[in-house]
Amino acid sequence: MNPGRPVPPPLAKTISLDTTGSGPSTGVLAAAYGATSAVSGLVPLTVARREPGEDDVEIAIEFCGLCHSDVHATRGEWREPPYPLVPGHEIVGHVTRVGSAVEDFATGDRVGVGCMVDSCRECDSCLEGLEQYCERGNVGTYGAADPRHADAITQGGYSTSVVVDKRFVLRVPEALDPAAAAPLLCAGITTYSPLRYFDVEEGDAVGVVGLGGLGHMAVKLAKAMGAEVTVFTTSESKFDAARELGADHVVLSKDADAMEAANRSIDVIIDTVAAPHDLNPYFRTLRLDGALFQLGLPADDMPPVSPGLLIRRRLAYAGSLIGGIEETQEMLDFCAEHGVASDIEIVGAGQLNDAYDRMVAGDVKYRFVLDTATLQEPSERADA
Ligand SMILES: [Zn+2]
Ligand SMILES: [Zn+2]
């Protein structure tokens, strides 16, 4: 099991905890890094993980990807989150214990956890396997009240362990490198799901706007599905990188002539840019019945969309949110089969704050991944 990387030592023994109102009365303490306020940066913390219940899987976390939404969440840029907050929803590790009703996972299995750890399980979305669109709201992997566990606040994967209901645990194929597989759990599924929803297949033309964590996965996945891929970028400096990832064409989006030359050349666009930007030039690159999926969530309003463009080519302007559990498993298996993984830079706990600053500056190719074996290291900003 787990070839290529030593198995971490067993988790700490069960410890009785001083409960703080919402936490479990018994559980396992796990080393973690998280924010204690919007300005604290990431500092060493200890989180209490519940004792595995009958449906639970206890996971020793090996790697956790750093998602841009982790930065927004810990800095309170979307809303005031509950602090302390341990981020991380691109989790890969191995099973250390399972509950009595868990049959599909066993100790030692390589597993993953993505952006959610539960949902209502009974609304129309949940019954269709679209837990991300749960009508009562899915339970996020961090910073969310967990109704099935006394509304304890979930804490994410910048940590040495986590306990998750079996329904929300993914099987990570052994063919995938565990560190490079971690970003598949958010960046991978977020781009895979709209490509599948649009039914992208051999010969389709896919456009990708933005070449960050999501965009680079969109290029790789679309290529693996047999598509012809065009990357739209605002920076000529990204041309070589786009081609290295497999893009067939690269278009400088601020060059009006280049955009005009791309008129009616694309079937579906995956737009990963989270800053407000004008979509109308991209609609002009779409063919009849094309679609643009917007995946980034800008904090400010977007420039208006021209209805005429949509009407004259029967275009769809759509959004998409991660993917369901079944589809996430399908994506992992697809990636293993096609040799697709994220391009990553592994960081230790002491580099997390720098990594956040570099993510904000767009200075990463293309995803940071935390090696959780480093979690006991002190933070350079622990006294901030
Ligand atoms: Zn994410
Ligand atoms: Zn539901």
Side-chain angles (χ1 to χ4, degrees):
M1 81 188 181
N2 307 321
R5 191 163 186 271
V7 175
L11 294 170
K13 287 197 169 60
T14 302
I15 299 166
S16 289
L17 296 175
D18 182 18
T19 59
T20 52
S22 61
S25 58
T26 61
V28 173
L29 293 179
Y33 258 58
T36 56
S37 78
V39 295
S40 66
L42 297 173
V43 297
L45 295 171
T46 302
V47 292
R49 301 302 191 184
R50 65 178 181 264
E51 270 296 305
E54 62 176 14
D55 286 333
D56 282 335
V57 176
E58 182 187 65
I59 301 163
I61 300 172
E62 293 165 65
F63 297 101
C64 184
L66 275 57
C67 175
H68 213 109
S69 57
D70 300 346
V71 181
H72 292 299
T74 53
R75 294 180 177 175
E77 291 168 354
W78 282 333
R79 64 182 178 102
E80 174 79 6
Y83 292 109
L85 180 67
V86 175
H89 57 208
E90 295 181 341
I91 298 168
V92 170
H94 62 270
V95 175
T96 45
R97 284 193 287 174
V98 296
S100 58
V102 176
E103 291 174 351
D104 294 340
F105 297 101
T107 301
D109 287 355
R110 163 99 9 91
V111 292
V113 178
C115 301
M116 41 184 187
V117 291
D118 209 345
S119 68
C120 85
R121 306 179 191 173
E122 47 193 36
C123 73
D124 287 349
S125 297
C126 285
L127 293 176
E128 276 186 65
L130 299 167
E131 302 89 350
Q132 75 274 34
Y133 301 117
C134 175
E135 292 167 19
R136 287 166 218 171
N138 69 64
V139 180
T141 301
Y142 61 83
D146 186 353
R148 282 193 178 79
H149 299 96
D151 279 335
I153 300 298
T154 57
Q155 300 288 1
Y158 298 8
S159 173
T160 49
S161 74
V162 68
V163 176
V164 177
D165 187 284
K166 64 185 179 185
R167 295 166 185 82
F168 288 78
V169 177
L170 288 311
R171 188 168 292 285
V172 177
E174 289 291 336
L176 291 171
D177 174 79
L184 299 177
L185 278 312
C186 174
I189 186 60
T190 299
T191 48
Y192 181 89
S193 186
L195 290 168
R196 278 288 184 239
Y197 184 77
F198 193 82
D199 230 350
V200 167
E201 53 188 22
E202 195 82 35
D204 284 345
V206 172
V208 177
V209 183
L211 204 57
L214 290 178
H216 98 289
M217 286 311 311
V219 173
K220 291 185 179 210
L221 288 165
K223 284 303 293 180
M225 291 173 187
E228 184 177 340
V229 176
T230 298
V231 167
F232 295 95
T233 174
T234 55
S235 167
E236 253 167 305
S237 66
K238 293 202 172 170
F239 274 45
D240 287 346
R243 292 210 174 85
E244 276 166 31
L245 288 169
D248 301 284
H249 315 282
V250 192
V251 174
L252 190 63
S253 55
K254 61 191 179 193
D255 178 344
D257 291 340
M259 289 298 282
E260 182 55 33
N263 184 32
R264 292 186 194 267
S265 65
I266 309 279
D267 295 302
V268 58
I269 290 177
I270 303 297
D271 186 327
T272 68
V273 174
H277 57 293
D278 185 6
L279 295 175
N280 296 305
Y282 297 106
F283 288 133
R284 284 188 200 95
T285 69
L286 287 170
R287 294 171 174 151
L288 180 67
D289 290 332
L292 184 148
F293 286 89
Q294 185 171 340
L295 305 184
L297 184 60
D300 300 308
D301 288 346
M302 296 277 288
V305 163
S306 161
L309 284 167
L310 301 181
I311 290 166
R312 282 192 288 274
R313 298 186 193 183
R314 197 161 60 183
L315 302 181
Y317 172 31
S320 185
L321 175 70
I322 48 175
I325 294 300
E326 190 181 332
E327 189 173 51
T328 305
Q329 187 62 62
E330 176 192 304
M331 177 274 308
L332 288 167
D333 295 342
F334 176 90
C335 287
E337 189 185 331
H338 291 85
V340 174
S342 183
D343 288 7
I344 59 165
E345 181 178 334
I346 293 179
V347 293
Q351 299 165 276
L352 282 170
N353 290 304
D354 282 343
Y356 270 26
D357 291 340
R358 285 183 55 197
M359 280 161 72
V360 171
D363 176 27
V364 53
K365 276 187 174 173
Y366 286 92
R367 205 65 150 177
F368 289 115
V369 172
L370 170 67
D371 179 350
T372 62
T374 64
L375 271 175
Q376 273 77 1
E377 284 179 17
S379 163
E380 75 272 27
R381 275 159 60 171
D383 56 350

